Amino acid sequence: MKYRNKQGGVFALSLIAAALSQSVYAQEAPVAEVAPAAAAPAAPVAQTAPAPAASALEEVVVTAPRMQEPLKVVTNPRAPRQPIPAHDGADYLKTIPGFSVITKGGTDGDPVFRGMAASRVNILVDNQTVLGGCNGRMDAPTAYIFPEVFNKLTVIKGPQTVSHGPGNSAATAMFERQQPRFSEFGYKMHTGVMVGSANRHDEVVDAQVGSAGGYVQAIATNSQAGDYKDGKNNRVHSAYHRYSANAAVGLTPDADTRVELSAATSDGRAAYADRSMDGTKFLRNNVALSFNRKHLTSTVEEIDAVVAANNVDHIMDDQTLRTPGMMGYANLKRDTSDLRASTKLRVADPTLLTIGVDAQRNNHKSRSAMPGMPYSAWQNDASIAQQGLFTELDHHLSEQQKVVAGYRADWWKAQDNRPAMIMDWNAMGMGGMMGAMAMNPTSGKQRTQTLHSGFARYEQRLSEPTTLFVGLGHTSRFPDYWELIAKQSTNSVSSFNVRPEKTNQLDTGVIYKTAETEFNLSAFYSKVTDFILIDSTMKMVTGAARNVNATTFGGEAGFAQALNSDWKLHSSLAYVHGTNDTDGTPLAQLPPLEGLMSLGYDDKTWSFTALTRVVAAQTRFDKNKGNIVGKDIGASSGFAVFSMNAGWRPSKNSLITAGVDNLFNRTYAEFISRAGTAITGYTQTTRVNQPGRTLWLKATLDL
């Protein structure tokens, strides 16, 4: 296959692949009760940062979204991307420089930003918090996100916002639906179909019907794949099937008002190569009521509120998706209620003030069953509640200078409801035998805490295309469920008393943007007091949550250049370095230096991209230490992966893209991958290997 540019030159796919380039284009059933035996508004002065706009550098197939505002990356999850289009939220986030994913199999990885995982990265869906149920993080919050359902993904780096929930010491990631609005009776529809290697196929339909007074929206998704093969043709235990349905009814009595009632449900199953059990139920139900009103008065610019209820019912077992074992079934549930309300006040011409409240309460419970035996009674493990008050100020000192600052206070309450748990001591023995039950010393106890967070950032536009920024942020993060309840401590079976984590961080950088050239750099330096480290050197199974002090620094850089109207060059770089100051060792679970390079062609009808991802070796590690998702295994080697894609626009509303990832069938694994485990019929590897050569084809149509 060949593609011809406007000057008539012929460009073979093999030649572009050899250039080591990479480019970006503008654009089951529940288990029975008895277990079976087997089987922002425009400011009156100019914005400091250049606003994203259509230019010679806009993307068709996304490979590395760029920062176009200070510490903020905005992209469209519906745009095709490479590698193979994402099937969950973590899979999409890993295209953003600085993000990595802790791999477990074919799906449900945990997103990591600058080496920070889990609740250090706030994940929000339409301003709502999503929390998984699995003690072993089979269902990270992003597992319940099918990216193509959403129109907008915003990532805010570091502790540089207080308006989107507590604890965002590493980053905040917000997946948002664009609510429909019609001026007259009509309809809109988005459809997408994708097929790929390992019997992968995805389908999504988003249908909207409405008029000036309101709308109805219905969304359905399906994503399914079998076991993929690594570069050595070894099958990886990684098959999955996920599906969801969303519905919304909205009232829009005028151009400034919207009231929406929405509901969502999803379920699925997933095989995991890193553990002795699989996920056979991921049932999530959600209902939300939201309200938005703009331009109330000259002072009150906007009021926004949402209240939501979310529940997760999760089952894991070693009976359904693999050769049956002896562990049986574990059933876990989490019920979460969510509230957020805010208002934006134009207190003076150059000043916008946002004030608001948010609250969350979640309860977790579990039960288990041996093969062929009834389930045990439900045990309420814990309840955690949070109430927050926040305010953010956006003030323009002049057309070239801007200050953004914020403060929030959070009131936390947690209760430990576990009467007893299983001891987890290593072979050396520390007061008990592994497998024996021990009374919980914190059973029935409550803890309350008031935590404070804040930030301030200064932005300076030096000239029309250049903006400098520097910010200071402080975040106090209350321990999450996995750190309080799912782990133990070094000298007890309970980690309920682990201290909150306090992060002080400096963020700085530069953005340069013209129609032909973009450059951005964001760098950070962070000191973390009482960093919550999970230490598995003593507690091999659960791991022990303990507080240490840590230092991290690093950043991300991006560059894009339009060579002419059709050819574009893109590249990005991400690096993080960390030290466990208490132990005098490297901070665990930090990914190595990573770079992306691309070269692409796009004449608005035909497009082509060749790309390479290069990852350095990681020799800094702290074996058997990490976070609630994973731990260091040892050193890893570097690798380079080459990929390419092509696209065709039959019309302005349709797009067909095809690609091949890992063109040279490289066998590799990420440094922060989970360890492979022994599964009958599969080859065990040190880490969970990534897919070998992968082919995919995707078509989208918007009506």
Side-chain angles (χ1 to χ4, degrees), residues 60-398:
V60 173
V61 176
V62 176
T63 59
R66 299 181 298 279
M67 182 180 71
Q68 299 192 18
E69 297 179 52
L71 300 171
K72 183 182 290 186
V73 177
V74 181
T75 188
N76 179 8
R78 288 191 171 177
R81 64 138 221 186
Q82 190 161 21
I84 187 169
H87 58 275
D88 68 17
D91 199 32
Y92 198 92
L93 284 170
K94 74 181 182 183
T95 63
I96 298 175
F99 270 98
S100 307
V101 173
I102 297 179
T103 303
K104 310 165 190 173
T107 188
D108 300 345
D110 258 272
V112 177
F113 186 68
R114 293 172 170 174
M116 300 293 107
S119 58
R120 299 178 179 105
V121 181
N122 265 1
I123 305 294
L124 299 178
V125 176
D126 288 331
N127 273 328
Q128 303 165 43
T129 303
V130 178
L131 295 173
C134 181
N135 284 29
R137 297 286 292 193
M138 278 189 181
D139 60 338
T142 47
Y144 297 99
I145 296 173
F146 189 87
E148 204 168 340
V149 167
F150 303 94
N151 312 88
K152 184 179 180 182
L153 167 60
T154 303
V155 172
I156 302 174
K157 301 180 181 184
Q160 286 291 306
T161 181
V162 295
S163 297
H164 304 288
N168 54 317
S169 54
T172 300
M174 298 176 286
F175 291 83
E176 299 174 85
R177 269 184 314 115
Q178 183 179 14
Q179 286 86 359
R181 189 174 289 275
F182 295 83
S183 58
E184 58 185 15
F185 181 79
Y187 71 91
K188 300 177 183 177
M189 181 175 289
H190 169 81
T191 60
V193 178
M194 196 213 71
V195 294
S197 300
N199 297 318
R200 166 85 180 269
H201 63 89
D202 295 358
E203 298 83 27
V204 60
V205 176
D206 178 357
Q208 308 167 13
V209 178
S211 64
Y215 58 86
V216 176
Q217 182 179 31
I219 305 174
T221 73
N222 181 72
S223 182
Q224 189 168 355
D227 291 340
Y228 66 76
K229 294 182 179 181
D230 66 15
K232 293 182 178 178
N233 208 38
N234 294 318
R235 280 195 311 131
V236 177
H237 191 58
S238 56
Y240 65 87
H241 184 199
R242 307 301 291 266
Y243 45 92
S244 68
N246 303 62
V249 177
L251 300 177
T252 53
D254 57 55
D256 295 322
T257 306
R258 178 185 55 79
V259 180
E260 182 185 272
L261 177 65
S262 63
T265 185
S266 62
D267 203 351
R269 54 176 56 191
Y272 295 107
D274 70 314
R275 61 194 69 198
S276 55
M277 301 179 85
D278 303 306
T280 52
K281 184 179 182 181
F282 295 89
L283 180 62
R284 172 186 174 243
N285 292 305
N286 166 267
V287 62
L289 179 65
S290 61
F291 170 79
N292 181 267
R293 170 74 177 175
K294 297 179 179 179
H295 308 130
L296 280 82
T297 69
S298 58
T299 300
V300 183
E301 288 200 353
E302 183 176 3
I303 294 178
D304 192 74
V306 60
V307 59
N310 187 82
N311 61 75
V312 168
D313 185 355
H314 167 60
I315 292 176
M316 54 183 173
D317 67 62
D318 64 345
Q319 306 291 302
T320 309
L321 301 180
R322 64 178 69 196
T323 301
M326 297 299 295
M327 298 188 69
Y329 299 82
N331 189 187
L332 307 104
K333 289 187 177 182
R334 187 192 294 271
D335 298 318
T336 305
S337 55
D338 226 0
L339 167 69
R340 183 185 186 276
S342 66
T343 182
K344 293 182 179 179
L345 306 175
R346 181 64 64 180
V347 296
D349 279 348
T351 307
L352 182 67
L353 179 67
T354 300
I355 57 174
V357 296
D358 51 35
Q360 177 201 127
R361 182 177 182 86
N362 69 84
N363 297 287
H364 189 276
K365 60 183 180 180
S366 61
R367 60 179 183 170
S368 61
M370 297 298 291
M373 301 296 290
Y375 272 108
S376 61
W378 285 105
Q379 181 189 68
N380 293 313
D381 302 333
S383 61
I384 302 173
Q386 168 266 333
Q387 297 175 335
L389 173 67
F390 60 86
T391 180
E392 257 187 48
L393 180 72
D394 188 314
H395 177 69
H396 289 263
L397 301 171
S398 68

Side-chain angles (χ1 to χ4, degrees), residues 423 425-426 428-434 436-438 493 538-539:
M423 290 184 178
W425 301 106
N426 66 7
M428 296 177 63
M430 296 292 291
M433 178 178 176
M434 185 171 172
M437 295 297 295
V493 293
M538 294 177 62
K539 304 292 182 76

Side-chain angles (χ1 to χ4, degrees), residues 11-88:
F11 298 88
L13 302 186
S14 57
L15 293 178
I16 300 182
L20 308 185
S21 336
Q22 160 204 334
S23 123
V24 213
Y25 289 79
Q27 289 274 315
E28 230 120 272
V31 175
E33 291 296 304
V34 177
V45 292
Q47 296 294 322
T48 303
S55 73
L57 293 168
E58 66 181 1
E59 302 170 339
V60 173
V61 176
V62 176
T63 59
R66 299 181 298 279
M67 182 180 71
Q68 299 192 18
E69 297 179 52
L71 300 171
K72 183 182 290 186
V73 177
V74 181
T75 188
N76 179 8
R78 288 191 171 177
R81 64 138 221 186
Q82 190 161 21
I84 187 169
H87 58 275
D88 68 17

Side-chain angles (χ1 to χ4, degrees), residues 405-542:
Y407 166 78
R408 73 174 290 130
D410 290 289
W411 293 267
W412 288 91
K413 180 180 179 181
Q415 179 165 319
D416 186 353
N417 298 319
R418 303 164 298 164
M421 65 270 295
I422 298 175
M423 290 184 178
D424 180 13
W425 301 106
N426 66 7
M428 296 177 63
M430 296 292 291
M433 178 178 176
M434 185 171 172
M437 295 297 295
M439 299 303 295
N440 178 14
T442 57
S443 179
K445 289 189 176 180
Q446 290 186 352
R447 58 180 291 184
T448 59
Q449 212 134 16
T450 301
L451 300 179
H452 305 274
S453 302
F455 77 97
R457 184 173 71 251
Y458 174 75
E459 302 173 13
Q460 171 73 58
R461 192 170 63 197
L462 300 180
S463 59
E464 186 60 35
T466 306
T467 299
L468 300 177
F469 59 89
V470 60
L472 286 171
H474 169 82
T475 294
S476 297
R477 185 181 68 86
F478 192 76
D480 58 33
Y481 167 84
W482 294 269
E483 294 160 336
L484 283 175
I485 304 297
K487 303 300 177 185
Q488 299 188 9
S489 65
T490 55
N491 57 5
S492 169
V493 293
S494 174
S495 61
F496 191 67
N497 293 321
V498 66
R499 295 188 297 275
E501 188 175 276
K502 296 167 283 293
T503 299
N504 294 291
Q505 183 164 310
L506 171 69
D507 284 278
T508 188
V510 59
I511 298 173
Y512 176 88
K513 179 176 171 62
T514 67
E516 293 79 26
T517 305
E518 287 186 26
F519 172 76
N520 67 81
L521 171 67
S522 56
F524 76 98
Y525 179 84
S526 180
K527 297 288 288 186
V528 187
T529 304
D530 290 328
F531 180 91
I532 302 176
L533 181 78
I534 305 302
D535 189 339
S536 298
T537 58
M538 294 177 62
K539 304 292 182 76
M540 297 181 297
V541 179
T542 63

